[in-house]
Amino acid sequence: MKSGLKHGFTGKSCHWDERRIKPTLDKENRKCDVLNRGFSGYNTRWAKIILPRLMGSGDSPAAVTVFFGANDSSLREENPRQHVPLEEYAANLSCMVRYLGSVGVAESRVILVTPPPLCEAAWEEWCTAQGHRLNRRNSVAGEYARACVQVAHDYGTDVLDLWTLMQKDQDFSTYLSDGLHLSPKGNDFVFSHLWPLVEKKVSALPLLLPNWKDVAEANPELSQLGEGGHSSTS
């Protein structure tokens, strides 16, 4: 019995708040396993190395989200460890899209997500408190966001342009907890815009298990496992 999988692959420390997304995911819980693979501090240079390991040898995912750029766009002179040059960032995203295609995840099932905008005043305050100088600029994050959008255009994947969408709100700082990382409101914003892109990829997937109302009381194994099926538990 095969299952559709949805992978979220991110280099930002912005894991989904399950209390916020549970009601929506409950609608898909008989179709998909939702796997969140968040790697705080990672950039695309490191991400492309571990992607094959994360994909494994299981069923081909119904949808994959790739969310990088906030760390790549760090200023080289202030944060050389995480910084990735713009051209390499685009090349790394392209490499990951091509790799996904090579293991059966078509471009139509991939969603690239741009870095969000940076609230420089709030992030500079955090940097100063840590004894550092400001190590990111919103204008630079925008360059990486545009590169991400271009890669999506080149390969025909979907893209969620957070950098542009969030700044349509005059006070986008409320989407960020410290000027860089997503706040609860920011997570809500991302999910509200990401879910329609994911839903169109998984809505047609068949149910792997029946609704509880459709389980035959006299023979639940037949309803759930089909002809010849039997439970290995006792």
Side-chain angles (χ1 to χ4, degrees):
M1 183 167 62
K2 292 187 176 181
S3 63
L5 301 177
K6 292 185 291 187
H7 287 250
F9 186 33
T10 170
K12 287 181 65 61
S13 52
C14 55
H15 305 294
W16 300 120
D17 185 333
E18 292 184 359
R19 294 169 299 176
R20 289 180 164 82
I21 68 171
K22 188 176 185 300
T24 302
L25 296 185
D26 277 349
K27 295 186 295 186
E28 307 294 340
N29 67 0
R30 292 183 183 86
K31 295 182 178 181
C32 302
D33 294 317
V34 181
L35 306 179
N36 180 24
R37 296 291 182 260
F39 296 89
S40 177
Y42 268 52
N43 55 33
T44 56
R45 181 181 294 160
W46 303 332
K48 73 174 185 178
I49 296 171
I50 63 171
L51 181 56
R53 176 180 175 182
L54 298 179
M55 294 302 296
S57 57
D59 296 331
S60 180
V64 176
T65 61
V66 181
F67 185 4
F68 287 93
N71 296 319
D72 298 67
S73 61
S74 298
L75 302 179
R76 181 177 59 183
E77 60 272 21
E78 300 297 337
N79 187 4
R81 184 174 180 81
Q82 290 180 304
H83 170 78
V84 172
L86 183 60
E87 290 186 2
E88 183 188 343
Y89 167 73
N92 290 340
L93 286 180
S94 299
C95 179
M96 286 189 276
V97 172
R98 290 195 302 271
Y99 172 77
L100 290 170
S102 74
V103 295
V105 183
E107 290 83 352
S108 60
R109 287 190 267 160
V110 177
I111 305 167
L112 301 185
V113 185
T114 77
L118 177 76
C119 179
E120 291 185 11
W123 185 241
E124 185 170 24
E125 183 177 339
W126 187 92
C127 290
T128 300
Q130 303 302 312
H132 306 303
R133 295 192 298 181
L134 181 66
N135 59 17
R136 290 168 169 84
R137 292 285 184 185
N138 188 41
S139 60
V140 177
E143 294 175 5
Y144 284 69
R146 288 186 287 275
C148 179
V149 170
Q150 184 61 51
V151 171
H153 175 77
D154 292 343
Y155 286 90
T157 73
D158 281 337
V159 63
L160 176 56
D161 185 356
L162 291 180
W163 191 84
T164 298
L165 287 172
M166 283 186 167
Q167 290 186 93
K168 290 182 178 180
D169 190 322
Q170 290 185 347
D171 186 16
F172 69 85
S173 65
T174 60
Y175 297 131
L176 306 166
S177 62
D178 53 11
L180 174 65
H181 300 97
L182 296 176
S183 66
K185 183 177 179 181
N187 268 293
D188 287 343
F189 181 96
V190 173
F191 187 76
S192 68
H193 288 79
L194 179 61
W195 178 248
L197 299 176
V198 174
E199 186 175 31
K200 70 182 182 180
K201 302 180 189 306
V202 302
S203 60
L205 291 176
L207 288 174
L208 301 178
L209 293 169
N211 185 283
W212 70 271
K213 296 178 182 178
D214 298 323
V215 176
E217 185 176 357
N219 193 347
E221 287 190 344
L222 178 62
S223 298
Q224 295 176 293
L225 303 178
E227 292 287 348
H230 65 276
S231 174
S232 61
T233 60
S234 59

